[in-house]
Amino acid sequence: MADVFDRLKAALSDRYAIERELGGGGMATVYLARDVKHERQVAVKVLRPELAAAMGADRFHQEIKIAANLHHPHILPLYDSGEADGFLHYVMPYEEGQSLRDKLAKEGELPIAEAVRILRDVVDALDHAHKHGVVHRDIKPDNIMLSERHALVTDFGVAKAVSEATGVQQLTTEGVALGTPSYMSPEQAAADKRIDHRADIYAVGALAYELLAGRPPFIGTTPQEVVAAHVTQAADPLTQHRATVPPELEHVVMRCLAKKPADRWQGAEDLLRQLEALSTPSGGITPAGTQPVEAIGHESAVRQAHLLRVAGLYVLASIGVV
């Protein structure tokens, strides 16, 4: 490991001064570094060697270039990317805040209003990405950073680049998850080549389930068991694990987790509207048993106004008679 760190440090020394390792996952290792030119701290993510070899620099740059053009308040921007001494890497801002994974590990299930606020930020980011033809494919707490009251989604385009270049959607021979099992849609688990933006909708459902229930929808002793459950089993109702979840919110989450993409919310914009309807102006949740009211059409509004006027005149007439 020391050899890898020293090689990376030397390879990037002209642009970034690598300071220490921050952590790693199935696809990449993250390092804290100082941007020499701009004198700022950054996070440098380096793809694992076996994935970098399978993907190749050309494919990596092609996908990263697409992700780099996403500009949104809830998407962590991409500063730079490249290849040096065989290391495929990309550079993002270093956020002082914690990841959503860290927050869950510390606190467990979140207050309902806070969970909805985080989900709204995540889905807002996905809506922007999907409209630009980018599917994330690896939405999970580890890829969501928290900065003050806001959630920032990271790693757009990377999971797609890795999975398509290596030809796998679930587990490599080295046991690397390329679509993390706890949040993997059934079509990803089945290596369906027709995966689209609705895979992200499913992952949001799994994420929401964990934020509200304190556990993912499926738990197994091995990653293979979890992946199989996403394909073959229905998740327990949310209220079975947390009775205080409003029925309307449970419906939104469980529809995200539908096995067939056609049965889910069909777009992030649709899902975003549902989450916004569940939030009051103060950031709370509508009381259980109430339904968001859709805007009244013009003709319906005119008709209702007319009925109210008639009713008012009738009341006035009645008072006059009395």
Side-chain angles (χ1 to χ4, degrees), residues 22-52:
L22 293 173
M27 292 190 297
T29 303
V30 190
Y31 297 91
L32 175 65
R34 181 171 56 85
D35 184 337
V36 177
K37 181 178 180 181
H38 300 101
E39 297 185 351
R40 59 186 176 184
Q41 283 192 313
V42 294
V44 178
K45 287 200 171 187
V46 181
L47 257 60
R48 290 181 56 162
E50 64 272 20
L51 299 182

PDB file of all heavy atoms in Angstrom, residues 22-52:
ATOM      1  N   LEU A  22      -8.346   9.197   2.750  1.00  0.00           N
ATOM      2  CA  LEU A  22      -9.577   9.482   3.491  1.00  0.00           C
ATOM      3  C   LEU A  22     -10.462   8.260   3.631  1.00  0.00           C
ATOM      4  O   LEU A  22     -11.253   8.155   4.572  1.00  0.00           O
ATOM      5  CB  LEU A  22     -10.361  10.604   2.794  1.00  0.00           C
ATOM      6  CG  LEU A  22      -9.726  11.991   2.794  1.00  0.00           C
ATOM      7  CD1 LEU A  22     -10.545  12.942   1.921  1.00  0.00           C
ATOM      8  CD2 LEU A  22      -9.626  12.535   4.215  1.00  0.00           C
ATOM      9  N   GLY A  23     -10.375   7.343   2.691  1.00  0.00           N
ATOM     10  CA  GLY A  23     -11.226   6.156   2.729  1.00  0.00           C
ATOM     11  C   GLY A  23     -11.334   5.552   1.344  1.00  0.00           C
ATOM     12  O   GLY A  23     -10.715   6.032   0.388  1.00  0.00           O
ATOM     13  N   GLY A  24     -12.120   4.521   1.229  1.00  0.00           N
ATOM     14  CA  GLY A  24     -12.274   3.874  -0.071  1.00  0.00           C
ATOM     15  C   GLY A  24     -13.523   3.037  -0.126  1.00  0.00           C
ATOM     16  O   GLY A  24     -14.165   2.770   0.897  1.00  0.00           O
ATOM     17  N   GLY A  25     -13.886   2.648  -1.341  1.00  0.00           N
ATOM     18  CA  GLY A  25     -15.056   1.817  -1.562  1.00  0.00           C
ATOM     19  C   GLY A  25     -14.783   0.803  -2.643  1.00  0.00           C
ATOM     20  O   GLY A  25     -13.628   0.487  -2.938  1.00  0.00           O
ATOM     21  N   GLY A  26     -15.840   0.303  -3.251  1.00  0.00           N
ATOM     22  CA  GLY A  26     -15.697  -0.735  -4.251  1.00  0.00           C
ATOM     23  C   GLY A  26     -15.037  -0.269  -5.527  1.00  0.00           C
ATOM     24  O   GLY A  26     -14.417  -1.059  -6.229  1.00  0.00           O
ATOM     25  N   MET A  27     -15.149   1.032  -5.825  1.00  0.00           N
ATOM     26  CA  MET A  27     -14.640   1.519  -7.103  1.00  0.00           C
ATOM     27  C   MET A  27     -13.395   2.374  -6.990  1.00  0.00           C
ATOM     28  O   MET A  27     -12.609   2.438  -7.929  1.00  0.00           O
ATOM     29  CB  MET A  27     -15.728   2.315  -7.827  1.00  0.00           C
ATOM     30  CG  MET A  27     -16.888   1.469  -8.295  1.00  0.00           C
ATOM     31  SD  MET A  27     -17.992   2.392  -9.385  1.00  0.00           S
ATOM     32  CE  MET A  27     -18.574   3.661  -8.280  1.00  0.00           C
ATOM     33  N   ALA A  28     -13.220   3.069  -5.877  1.00  0.00           N
ATOM     34  CA  ALA A  28     -12.135   4.037  -5.812  1.00  0.00           C
ATOM     35  C   ALA A  28     -11.635   4.224  -4.387  1.00  0.00           C
ATOM     36  O   ALA A  28     -12.329   3.903  -3.418  1.00  0.00           O
ATOM     37  CB  ALA A  28     -12.604   5.380  -6.380  1.00  0.00           C
ATOM     38  N   THR A  29     -10.431   4.769  -4.300  1.00  0.00           N
ATOM     39  CA  THR A  29      -9.853   5.192  -3.026  1.00  0.00           C
ATOM     40  C   THR A  29      -9.778   6.710  -3.047  1.00  0.00           C
ATOM     41  O   THR A  29      -9.425   7.319  -4.066  1.00  0.00           O
ATOM     42  CB  THR A  29      -8.441   4.611  -2.836  1.00  0.00           C
ATOM     43  OG1 THR A  29      -8.514   3.187  -2.935  1.00  0.00           O
ATOM     44  CG2 THR A  29      -7.882   4.978  -1.466  1.00  0.00           C
ATOM     45  N   VAL A  30     -10.113   7.331  -1.913  1.00  0.00           N
ATOM     46  CA  VAL A  30     -10.189   8.786  -1.841  1.00  0.00           C
ATOM     47  C   VAL A  30      -9.015   9.321  -1.013  1.00  0.00           C
ATOM     48  O   VAL A  30      -8.740   8.808   0.077  1.00  0.00           O
ATOM     49  CB  VAL A  30     -11.515   9.246  -1.208  1.00  0.00           C
ATOM     50  CG1 VAL A  30     -11.674  10.760  -1.361  1.00  0.00           C
ATOM     51  CG2 VAL A  30     -12.688   8.530  -1.839  1.00  0.00           C
ATOM     52  N   TYR A  31      -8.393  10.370  -1.539  1.00  0.00           N
ATOM     53  CA  TYR A  31      -7.253  10.987  -0.857  1.00  0.00           C
ATOM     54  C   TYR A  31      -7.512  12.481  -0.650  1.00  0.00           C
ATOM     55  O   TYR A  31      -8.098  13.145  -1.507  1.00  0.00           O
ATOM     56  CB  TYR A  31      -5.971  10.818  -1.672  1.00  0.00           C
ATOM     57  CG  TYR A  31      -5.552   9.387  -1.874  1.00  0.00           C
ATOM     58  CD1 TYR A  31      -5.991   8.666  -2.985  1.00  0.00           C
ATOM     59  CD2 TYR A  31      -4.710   8.741  -0.964  1.00  0.00           C
ATOM     60  CE1 TYR A  31      -5.617   7.341  -3.183  1.00  0.00           C
ATOM     61  CE2 TYR A  31      -4.332   7.415  -1.150  1.00  0.00           C
ATOM     62  CZ  TYR A  31      -4.787   6.725  -2.262  1.00  0.00           C
ATOM     63  OH  TYR A  31      -4.413   5.414  -2.447  1.00  0.00           O
ATOM     64  N   LEU A  32      -7.065  12.971   0.480  1.00  0.00           N
ATOM     65  CA  LEU A  32      -7.076  14.411   0.718  1.00  0.00           C
ATOM     66  C   LEU A  32      -5.808  14.987   0.096  1.00  0.00           C
ATOM     67  O   LEU A  32      -4.712  14.440   0.274  1.00  0.00           O
ATOM     68  CB  LEU A  32      -7.099  14.709   2.219  1.00  0.00           C
ATOM     69  CG  LEU A  32      -6.996  16.189   2.608  1.00  0.00           C
ATOM     70  CD1 LEU A  32      -8.216  16.953   2.115  1.00  0.00           C
ATOM     71  CD2 LEU A  32      -6.852  16.335   4.122  1.00  0.00           C
ATOM     72  N   ALA A  33      -5.966  16.066  -0.650  1.00  0.00           N
ATOM     73  CA  ALA A  33      -4.815  16.665  -1.320  1.00  0.00           C
ATOM     74  C   ALA A  33      -4.950  18.182  -1.331  1.00  0.00           C
ATOM     75  O   ALA A  33      -6.021  18.740  -1.077  1.00  0.00           O
ATOM     76  CB  ALA A  33      -4.701  16.139  -2.749  1.00  0.00           C
ATOM     77  N   ARG A  34      -3.851  18.840  -1.627  1.00  0.00           N
ATOM     78  CA  ARG A  34      -3.848  20.289  -1.776  1.00  0.00           C
ATOM     79  C   ARG A  34      -3.616  20.620  -3.240  1.00  0.00           C
ATOM     80  O   ARG A  34      -2.654  20.157  -3.859  1.00  0.00           O
ATOM     81  CB  ARG A  34      -2.760  20.918  -0.904  1.00  0.00           C
ATOM     82  CG  ARG A  34      -2.700  22.456  -0.993  1.00  0.00           C
ATOM     83  CD  ARG A  34      -1.751  23.017   0.050  1.00  0.00           C
ATOM     84  NE  ARG A  34      -0.419  22.437  -0.083  1.00  0.00           N
ATOM     85  CZ  ARG A  34       0.520  22.893  -0.910  1.00  0.00           C
ATOM     86  NH1 ARG A  34       0.255  23.939  -1.706  1.00  0.00           N
ATOM     87  NH2 ARG A  34       1.702  22.327  -0.970  1.00  0.00           N
ATOM     88  N   ASP A  35      -4.534  21.394  -3.795  1.00  0.00           N
ATOM     89  CA  ASP A  35      -4.401  21.872  -5.169  1.00  0.00           C
ATOM     90  C   ASP A  35      -3.298  22.922  -5.179  1.00  0.00           C
ATOM     91  O   ASP A  35      -3.464  24.027  -4.648  1.00  0.00           O
ATOM     92  CB  ASP A  35      -5.739  22.467  -5.621  1.00  0.00           C
ATOM     93  CG  ASP A  35      -5.731  22.916  -7.075  1.00  0.00           C
ATOM     94  OD1 ASP A  35      -4.638  23.177  -7.611  1.00  0.00           O
ATOM     95  OD2 ASP A  35      -6.815  23.008  -7.671  1.00  0.00           O
ATOM     96  N   VAL A  36      -2.151  22.564  -5.758  1.00  0.00           N
ATOM     97  CA  VAL A  36      -0.974  23.434  -5.720  1.00  0.00           C
ATOM     98  C   VAL A  36      -1.235  24.764  -6.416  1.00  0.00           C
ATOM     99  O   VAL A  36      -0.856  25.830  -5.919  1.00  0.00           O
ATOM    100  CB  VAL A  36       0.240  22.719  -6.359  1.00  0.00           C
ATOM    101  CG1 VAL A  36       1.446  23.646  -6.393  1.00  0.00           C
ATOM    102  CG2 VAL A  36       0.567  21.441  -5.603  1.00  0.00           C
ATOM    103  N   LYS A  37      -1.899  24.716  -7.552  1.00  0.00           N
ATOM    104  CA  LYS A  37      -2.116  25.920  -8.345  1.00  0.00           C
ATOM    105  C   LYS A  37      -3.084  26.885  -7.675  1.00  0.00           C
ATOM    106  O   LYS A  37      -2.851  28.097  -7.636  1.00  0.00           O
ATOM    107  CB  LYS A  37      -2.640  25.548  -9.740  1.00  0.00           C
ATOM    108  CG  LYS A  37      -2.884  26.736 -10.657  1.00  0.00           C
ATOM    109  CD  LYS A  37      -3.353  26.265 -12.028  1.00  0.00           C
ATOM    110  CE  LYS A  37      -3.601  27.449 -12.960  1.00  0.00           C
ATOM    111  NZ  LYS A  37      -4.073  26.992 -14.295  1.00  0.00           N
ATOM    112  N   HIS A  38      -4.203  26.343  -7.131  1.00  0.00           N
ATOM    113  CA  HIS A  38      -5.237  27.214  -6.587  1.00  0.00           C
ATOM    114  C   HIS A  38      -5.192  27.313  -5.057  1.00  0.00           C
ATOM    115  O   HIS A  38      -6.026  28.002  -4.459  1.00  0.00           O
ATOM    116  CB  HIS A  38      -6.617  26.714  -7.032  1.00  0.00           C
ATOM    117  CG  HIS A  38      -6.784  26.680  -8.514  1.00  0.00           C
ATOM    118  ND1 HIS A  38      -6.677  25.521  -9.249  1.00  0.00           N
ATOM    119  CD2 HIS A  38      -7.023  27.674  -9.413  1.00  0.00           C
ATOM    120  CE1 HIS A  38      -6.875  25.779 -10.528  1.00  0.00           C
ATOM    121  NE2 HIS A  38      -7.069  27.076 -10.665  1.00  0.00           N
ATOM    122  N   GLU A  39      -4.262  26.591  -4.443  1.00  0.00           N
ATOM    123  CA  GLU A  39      -4.085  26.629  -2.989  1.00  0.00           C
ATOM    124  C   GLU A  39      -5.395  26.362  -2.251  1.00  0.00           C
ATOM    125  O   GLU A  39      -5.878  27.172  -1.458  1.00  0.00           O
ATOM    126  CB  GLU A  39      -3.489  27.977  -2.566  1.00  0.00           C
ATOM    127  CG  GLU A  39      -2.105  28.228  -3.129  1.00  0.00           C
ATOM    128  CD  GLU A  39      -1.473  29.510  -2.597  1.00  0.00           C
ATOM    129  OE1 GLU A  39      -2.194  30.274  -1.930  1.00  0.00           O
ATOM    130  OE2 GLU A  39      -0.293  29.729  -2.857  1.00  0.00           O
ATOM    131  N   ARG A  40      -5.963  25.206  -2.524  1.00  0.00           N
ATOM    132  CA  ARG A  40      -7.202  24.795  -1.863  1.00  0.00           C
ATOM    133  C   ARG A  40      -7.149  23.290  -1.628  1.00  0.00           C
ATOM    134  O   ARG A  40      -6.442  22.556  -2.321  1.00  0.00           O
ATOM    135  CB  ARG A  40      -8.419  25.141  -2.723  1.00  0.00           C
ATOM    136  CG  ARG A  40      -8.392  24.480  -4.098  1.00  0.00           C
ATOM    137  CD  ARG A  40      -9.528  24.945  -4.988  1.00  0.00           C
ATOM    138  NE  ARG A  40      -9.413  24.363  -6.327  1.00  0.00           N
ATOM    139  CZ  ARG A  40     -10.230  24.662  -7.332  1.00  0.00           C
ATOM    140  NH1 ARG A  40     -11.214  25.526  -7.157  1.00  0.00           N
ATOM    141  NH2 ARG A  40     -10.060  24.087  -8.519  1.00  0.00           N
ATOM    142  N   GLN A  41      -7.901  22.837  -0.650  1.00  0.00           N
ATOM    143  CA  GLN A  41      -7.981  21.407  -0.385  1.00  0.00           C
ATOM    144  C   GLN A  41      -8.978  20.760  -1.328  1.00  0.00           C
ATOM    145  O   GLN A  41     -10.047  21.330  -1.606  1.00  0.00           O
ATOM    146  CB  GLN A  41      -8.394  21.148   1.067  1.00  0.00           C
ATOM    147  CG  GLN A  41      -7.263  21.352   2.069  1.00  0.00           C
ATOM    148  CD  GLN A  41      -7.633  20.817   3.437  1.00  0.00           C
ATOM    149  OE1 GLN A  41      -8.722  21.071   3.939  1.00  0.00           O
ATOM    150  NE2 GLN A  41      -6.724  20.075   4.067  1.00  0.00           N
ATOM    151  N   VAL A  42      -8.632  19.578  -1.811  1.00  0.00           N
ATOM    152  CA  VAL A  42      -9.504  18.846  -2.724  1.00  0.00           C
ATOM    153  C   VAL A  42      -9.522  17.368  -2.330  1.00  0.00           C
ATOM    154  O   VAL A  42      -8.672  16.905  -1.561  1.00  0.00           O
ATOM    155  CB  VAL A  42      -9.024  18.979  -4.189  1.00  0.00           C
ATOM    156  CG1 VAL A  42      -9.148  20.412  -4.671  1.00  0.00           C
ATOM    157  CG2 VAL A  42      -7.596  18.462  -4.336  1.00  0.00           C
ATOM    158  N   ALA A  43     -10.499  16.663  -2.864  1.00  0.00           N
ATOM    159  CA  ALA A  43     -10.567  15.210  -2.701  1.00  0.00           C
ATOM    160  C   ALA A  43     -10.219  14.577  -4.051  1.00  0.00           C
ATOM    161  O   ALA A  43     -10.855  14.875  -5.062  1.00  0.00           O
ATOM    162  CB  ALA A  43     -11.961  14.782  -2.265  1.00  0.00           C
ATOM    163  N   VAL A  44      -9.203  13.747  -4.052  1.00  0.00           N
ATOM    164  CA  VAL A  44      -8.787  13.053  -5.270  1.00  0.00           C
ATOM    165  C   VAL A  44      -9.249  11.603  -5.174  1.00  0.00           C
ATOM    166  O   VAL A  44      -8.864  10.884  -4.249  1.00  0.00           O
ATOM    167  CB  VAL A  44      -7.252  13.100  -5.446  1.00  0.00           C
ATOM    168  CG1 VAL A  44      -6.847  12.334  -6.704  1.00  0.00           C
ATOM    169  CG2 VAL A  44      -6.767  14.543  -5.523  1.00  0.00           C
ATOM    170  N   LYS A  45     -10.087  11.188  -6.114  1.00  0.00           N
ATOM    171  CA  LYS A  45     -10.570   9.809  -6.147  1.00  0.00           C
ATOM    172  C   LYS A  45      -9.807   9.045  -7.227  1.00  0.00           C
ATOM    173  O   LYS A  45      -9.788   9.462  -8.392  1.00  0.00           O
ATOM    174  CB  LYS A  45     -12.079   9.757  -6.417  1.00  0.00           C
ATOM    175  CG  LYS A  45     -12.908  10.203  -5.222  1.00  0.00           C
ATOM    176  CD  LYS A  45     -14.341   9.706  -5.312  1.00  0.00           C
ATOM    177  CE  LYS A  45     -15.102   9.960  -4.025  1.00  0.00           C
ATOM    178  NZ  LYS A  45     -16.434   9.344  -4.033  1.00  0.00           N
ATOM    179  N   VAL A  46      -9.209   7.935  -6.833  1.00  0.00           N
ATOM    180  CA  VAL A  46      -8.399   7.131  -7.742  1.00  0.00           C
ATOM    181  C   VAL A  46      -9.083   5.777  -7.940  1.00  0.00           C
ATOM    182  O   VAL A  46      -9.355   5.062  -6.962  1.00  0.00           O
ATOM    183  CB  VAL A  46      -6.979   6.931  -7.190  1.00  0.00           C
ATOM    184  CG1 VAL A  46      -6.143   6.106  -8.164  1.00  0.00           C
ATOM    185  CG2 VAL A  46      -6.325   8.275  -6.923  1.00  0.00           C
ATOM    186  N   LEU A  47      -9.381   5.440  -9.192  1.00  0.00           N
ATOM    187  CA  LEU A  47     -10.047   4.164  -9.480  1.00  0.00           C
ATOM    188  C   LEU A  47      -9.152   2.994  -9.092  1.00  0.00           C
ATOM    189  O   LEU A  47      -7.924   3.059  -9.229  1.00  0.00           O
ATOM    190  CB  LEU A  47     -10.400   4.073 -10.962  1.00  0.00           C
ATOM    191  CG  LEU A  47     -11.876   4.313 -11.314  1.00  0.00           C
ATOM    192  CD1 LEU A  47     -12.303   5.701 -10.875  1.00  0.00           C
ATOM    193  CD2 LEU A  47     -12.113   4.113 -12.792  1.00  0.00           C
ATOM    194  N   ARG A  48      -9.762   1.939  -8.625  1.00  0.00           N
ATOM    195  CA  ARG A  48      -9.006   0.743  -8.294  1.00  0.00           C
ATOM    196  C   ARG A  48      -8.311   0.215  -9.555  1.00  0.00           C
ATOM    197  O   ARG A  48      -8.867   0.295 -10.660  1.00  0.00           O
ATOM    198  CB  ARG A  48      -9.932  -0.315  -7.698  1.00  0.00           C
ATOM    199  CG  ARG A  48     -10.432   0.075  -6.311  1.00  0.00           C
ATOM    200  CD  ARG A  48     -11.323  -0.970  -5.706  1.00  0.00           C
ATOM    201  NE  ARG A  48     -10.641  -2.279  -5.647  1.00  0.00           N
ATOM    202  CZ  ARG A  48     -11.047  -3.274  -4.872  1.00  0.00           C
ATOM    203  NH1 ARG A  48     -12.112  -3.125  -4.104  1.00  0.00           N
ATOM    204  NH2 ARG A  48     -10.400  -4.427  -4.869  1.00  0.00           N
ATOM    205  N   PRO A  49      -7.101  -0.322  -9.406  1.00  0.00           N
ATOM    206  CA  PRO A  49      -6.297  -0.701 -10.574  1.00  0.00           C
ATOM    207  C   PRO A  49      -6.996  -1.656 -11.534  1.00  0.00           C
ATOM    208  O   PRO A  49      -6.918  -1.484 -12.758  1.00  0.00           O
ATOM    209  CB  PRO A  49      -5.058  -1.361  -9.948  1.00  0.00           C
ATOM    210  CG  PRO A  49      -4.961  -0.757  -8.587  1.00  0.00           C
ATOM    211  CD  PRO A  49      -6.373  -0.526  -8.149  1.00  0.00           C
ATOM    212  N   GLU A  50      -7.723  -2.673 -11.003  1.00  0.00           N
ATOM    213  CA  GLU A  50      -8.368  -3.642 -11.888  1.00  0.00           C
ATOM    214  C   GLU A  50      -9.490  -3.001 -12.698  1.00  0.00           C
ATOM    215  O   GLU A  50      -9.741  -3.354 -13.847  1.00  0.00           O
ATOM    216  CB  GLU A  50      -8.897  -4.850 -11.093  1.00  0.00           C
ATOM    217  CG  GLU A  50     -10.001  -4.550 -10.089  1.00  0.00           C
ATOM    218  CD  GLU A  50      -9.484  -4.156  -8.726  1.00  0.00           C
ATOM    219  OE1 GLU A  50      -8.307  -3.734  -8.614  1.00  0.00           O
ATOM    220  OE2 GLU A  50     -10.265  -4.269  -7.752  1.00  0.00           O
ATOM    221  N   LEU A  51     -10.168  -2.013 -12.107  1.00  0.00           N
ATOM    222  CA  LEU A  51     -11.231  -1.319 -12.839  1.00  0.00           C
ATOM    223  C   LEU A  51     -10.646  -0.360 -13.873  1.00  0.00           C
ATOM    224  O   LEU A  51     -11.176  -0.230 -14.978  1.00  0.00           O
ATOM    225  CB  LEU A  51     -12.123  -0.563 -11.859  1.00  0.00           C
ATOM    226  CG  LEU A  51     -12.851  -1.420 -10.820  1.00  0.00           C
ATOM    227  CD1 LEU A  51     -13.747  -0.556  -9.948  1.00  0.00           C
ATOM    228  CD2 LEU A  51     -13.666  -2.514 -11.493  1.00  0.00           C
ATOM    229  N   ALA A  52      -9.562   0.301 -13.488  1.00  0.00           N
ATOM    230  CA  ALA A  52      -8.909   1.213 -14.428  1.00  0.00           C
ATOM    231  C   ALA A  52      -8.401   0.460 -15.650  1.00  0.00           C
ATOM    232  O   ALA A  52      -8.519   0.930 -16.791  1.00  0.00           O
ATOM    233  CB  ALA A  52      -7.751   1.927 -13.727  1.00  0.00           C
TER     234      ALA A  52
END
